[in-house]
Amino acid sequence: MDRPDAIPTGTEPSRWPPGWHVEVVDETGSTNADLLAAVAAGAPDRSVRMARHQTAGRGRLDRRWEAPPGANLLVSMLFRGVVAAPHELVQRVGLAALDACERIAGVRASLKWPNDLLVDDRKLAGILAQSTTADDGRAVVVGIGLNIGWAPDGAARLGDGIVPETVLFALLEAFDSLPVDLHDRYRERLGTLG
């Protein structure tokens, strides 16, 4: 199947790429906070929580991240047993998001170190990683807010008629298809070098 938008949305495992544990909720405070709390409750590696609306979403430096209900992709991913270079998870999610944007909407974005996706110097997405200690080592939650149907003034968005779950599906597939060594690919897509 070439287009993930042909895949039905839902929380059933068969509807998402293998190995991901996806939960979609209508509203929450923060998907990152939800998954950080879920670490202690034993949530599995590669747990994903997507909200159609966040009431307390935030970005880097405690900036608020807001969007109308159902307009954008608001999602967090939990990675357990992270022992080295947790920043690579941010890079991996960023690269996967770039691939998903291009595949679903034909939008070619670039990365802005350390945690943004840009289209023509306008912010398309922000990524926030937070870590905590778990029984099996460090756990890292990586959240991304990606503008799809709505963007604040001066920011970029993918466009109308795109379902956030479709972008999430493509992002998870792209994450799994990335090479082990990201260095060259990350530098190639980084728009802030030089």
Side-chain angles (χ1 to χ4, degrees):
M1 192 174 287
D2 292 324
R3 295 193 45 90
D5 56 352
I7 294 168
T9 60
T11 58
E12 298 83 3
S14 62
R15 298 181 190 262
W16 297 99
W20 294 97
H21 311 279
V22 180
E23 180 183 18
V24 179
V25 297
D26 286 329
E27 183 175 293
T28 192
S30 161
T31 56
N32 263 32
D34 291 350
L35 283 184
L36 286 168
V39 169
D45 182 40
R46 293 165 53 107
S47 290
V48 178
R49 185 162 173 93
M50 179 191 147
R52 293 187 178 95
H53 182 62
Q54 286 189 128
T55 58
R58 65 183 186 92
R60 203 167 144 261
L61 305 176
D62 278 334
R63 293 184 182 111
R64 289 195 52 101
W65 186 274
E66 297 178 335
N72 295 339
L73 177 61
L74 310 168
V75 66
S76 298
M77 292 150 270
L78 166 63
F79 301 97
R80 284 188 169 273
V82 178
V83 292
H87 70 277
E88 286 185 9
L89 289 170
V90 173
Q91 294 176 354
R92 211 166 266 285
V93 169
L95 286 168
L98 291 178
D99 289 351
C101 291
E102 197 160 355
R103 180 176 170 195
I104 299 302
V107 171
R108 184 159 172 88
S110 64
L111 295 166
K112 176 186 174 188
W113 185 88
N115 67 334
D116 291 340
L117 275 67
L118 302 179
V119 174
D120 299 326
D121 292 327
R122 294 177 300 134
K123 188 169 181 172
L124 175 66
I127 302 170
L128 177 67
Q130 296 174 278
S131 65
T132 188
T133 303
D135 291 341
D136 59 349
R138 185 170 18 180
V140 176
V141 173
V142 181
I144 183 168
L146 195 152
N147 300 330
I148 296 176
W150 177 87
D153 288 342
R157 65 188 185 99
L158 292 186
D160 296 328
I162 298 170
V163 178
E165 286 92 338
T166 300
V167 179
L168 175 58
F169 189 100
L171 188 155
L172 298 177
E173 278 195 327
F175 186 97
D176 287 341
S177 68
L178 287 168
V180 173
D181 184 358
L182 296 177
H183 182 75
D184 290 341
R185 187 163 182 177
Y186 182 76
R187 286 180 59 85
E188 177 186 310
R189 299 301 300 270
L190 198 57
T192 51
L193 282 179

